[in-house]
Amino acid sequence: MGGSIAEWFNSIVNYGVSIIWGNNDWLIASNPWYGLLMFVLIGAGLYFTVVTRFMQFRHFGHMWKLLWVSNQGRKDGGISSFEALMTSLAARVGTGNLAGVAIAIYLGGPGAIFWMWMTAMVGMSTSFIESTLAQAYKVPHTDNVYRGGPAYYIEKGLGKRWMAVFFSVCLLVAFGLAFNGVQSNTIAQATNEAFGIPTWMTGLLLVVLVAPVVFGGLRSVARIAGKIVPIMAILYILLALFIIITNFSQFPAAIALIVKSAFGFEQAAGGVLGYGIAQAIINGIKRGLFSNEAGMGSAPNAAATAQTNPNHPAVQGFMQMLGVFMDTLVICTATASIIILSDVVDPNVEQEGIQLTQLALSQYVGDWGVIFVAIAIFFFSFTSIIANYSYGESNLEFISGSKNAKVMIMIFRFMVLAMVFVGAIASLPAIWNFADLSMGLMALTNLVAIMLLSPVALRILRDYERQVKAGKTGNQIKFNPDDFVKLKDEANRDAWID
């Protein structure tokens, strides 16, 4: 019996490590939990794509128009639509975009990237639904930064306080604490690999850098994310474009390889068609879902904080759709291009995710490519830490209420800083595995909620489309909860006073 328990515990630990690093990936067939979550997320995305009449394609150009004016409309020190987008991107863009893409290619072949694209395409509609609901049910706060997210629309829209608290607790465990340790561990390992800096020193440095941001509250997080994320994303994309342009003759063949591998044309010649397609689909969908976070219930916490321009819930829905596009179809594709063009993937040799990306980059820019990836990981993971903290603070406020919020948030801030340091110096796979379970539970809870509340989001979309079709722009577009039967009694009026 003791041997069986030891084997069971060891399998749990290995599974936790595989979630973090992407090593020794278990197939979905041996992990029903991931199979269920993938099935529900993809199913919800397809459903929302159909019922919104493929809005991610119909309104693709409109999303970019809204981005152009997204930093306007902020009043009294609030958070703009652009800053809310950058906060959600800060949480989305991290190790998954650099290491996760490499692992997807290593395990599923280049075709995995095609399925990452498809996952993002359907996930954009899911992101619209959950972020629009977050805006519709947002509430004002004394610091002029709105609060909202799944916990708020579950309580008000479904009338189930217990379900909302359950979601918040799961988010606190996963995003508020454990995943911050994962991010700091990634930073510590990358800086140790590139510069030889001891992990404990990196841990201390991170605590010093993170502390003033988290003690500054949600507004501080949004301001920092709004500055760092665009700069790092643009630099990384420019580097990828440089590699693509200097190797442009090979680029069409690389794209063709992605498409062929996705449908098994490459594997067919080797007689492993079914297995090859399955690996491409499984790894592409899995990495895509956990990279862009559409439907997870995390991004709506950032979406709710925005003072949108125009002042309508659908606007932040469009912005968060754009966030999914930027995360997967832009940044993940940049990483995939670097790796595929370098031709460094060797299926016969075990290769780590982040090291594979560093190796690919060094093929074109020399040894400093390793250093660049370490720096990119540092900033991407740092912004993920502060964005994850903001999600946690908002949900802790929801659970504790206004009377106890200040004390609880102060304790939470010190817990986050402690987790950042511990994560940098230690490997705690059992905790990471528990956090992964928490993330799965919060995702399923959120998906149930947005499916039940989707009629509200769809009516909001139609209201917005009607006003745009009538020729209204900017401040002419208005949102009035009284125009909606359900929101008339559930939406917070103070959040929508002009």
Side-chain angles (χ1 to χ4, degrees), residues 178-406:
F179 288 164
N180 281 336
V182 174
Q183 296 293 344
S184 67
N185 188 279
T186 302
I187 294 173
Q189 296 299 326
T191 52
N192 179 263
E193 179 75 20
F195 307 108
I197 299 174
T199 55
W200 68 267
M201 290 183 64
T202 302
L204 284 177
L205 176 62
L206 281 172
V207 170
V208 171
L209 293 174
V210 169
V213 181
V214 300
F215 278 96
L218 300 190
R219 187 187 295 113
S220 176
V221 171
R223 300 289 187 267
I224 297 297
K227 291 177 173 62
I228 295 179
V229 173
I231 293 173
M232 282 309 304
I234 289 171
L235 287 175
Y236 189 66
I237 292 166
L238 286 175
L239 180 60
L241 285 174
F242 168 76
I243 293 173
I244 290 171
I245 292 171
T246 54
N247 298 270
F248 192 74
S249 60
Q250 304 172 39
F251 186 65
I255 297 298
L257 179 62
I258 290 175
V259 176
K260 288 179 180 179
S261 298
F263 295 98
F265 296 128
E266 291 292 311
Q267 296 90 340
V272 289
L273 177 60
Y275 179 80
I277 295 177
Q279 289 299 295
I281 294 174
I282 288 172
N283 286 282
I285 291 177
K286 182 164 66 171
R287 296 299 169 185
L289 289 174
F290 293 101
S291 175
N292 61 56
E293 298 181 16
M296 292 288 183
S298 51
N301 293 277
T305 64
Q307 295 179 5
T308 61
N309 182 41
N311 193 25
H312 196 284
V315 171
Q316 189 58 208
F318 285 118
M319 295 298 291
Q320 293 302 326
M321 277 174 51
L322 193 57
V324 174
F325 179 85
M326 289 177 175
D327 172 87
T328 305
L329 282 99
V330 177
I331 298 176
C332 286
T333 300
T335 301
S337 299
I338 293 171
I339 293 172
I340 293 173
L341 286 171
S342 68
D343 197 27
V344 296
V345 178
D346 185 353
N348 298 314
V349 178
E350 186 173 346
Q351 295 173 303
E352 304 283 347
I354 195 63
Q355 293 175 351
L356 189 56
T357 305
Q358 289 175 317
L359 177 62
L361 199 54
S362 64
Q363 298 290 310
Y364 299 104
V365 296
D367 292 339
W368 75 267
V370 175
I371 297 175
F372 178 86
V373 171
I375 294 172
I377 279 288
F378 181 90
F379 283 105
F380 284 150
S381 296
F382 171 76
T383 53
S384 290
I385 290 172
I386 62 176
N388 289 344
Y389 162 79
S390 73
Y391 294 168
E393 178 181 313
S394 179
N395 282 269
L396 187 59
E397 280 188 347
F398 175 83
I399 296 172
S400 59
S402 57
K403 291 184 179 180
N404 303 316
K406 288 186 178 180

Side-chain angles (χ1 to χ4, degrees), residues 397-452:
E397 280 188 347
F398 175 83
I399 296 172
S400 59
S402 57
K403 291 184 179 180
N404 303 316
K406 288 186 178 180
V407 175
M408 296 299 293
I409 288 172
M410 189 60 64
I411 295 172
F412 176 62
R413 287 169 176 169
F414 283 107
M415 290 176 66
V416 168
L417 295 177
M419 191 56 112
V420 167
F421 180 74
V422 171
I425 63 174
S427 177
L428 305 173
I431 293 179
W432 307 153
N433 190 57
F434 181 64
D436 194 60
L437 175 65
S438 297
M439 184 183 70
L441 289 172
M442 77 176 236
L444 289 174
T445 304
N446 179 60
L447 285 165
V448 170
I450 63 177
M451 288 294 288
L452 293 173

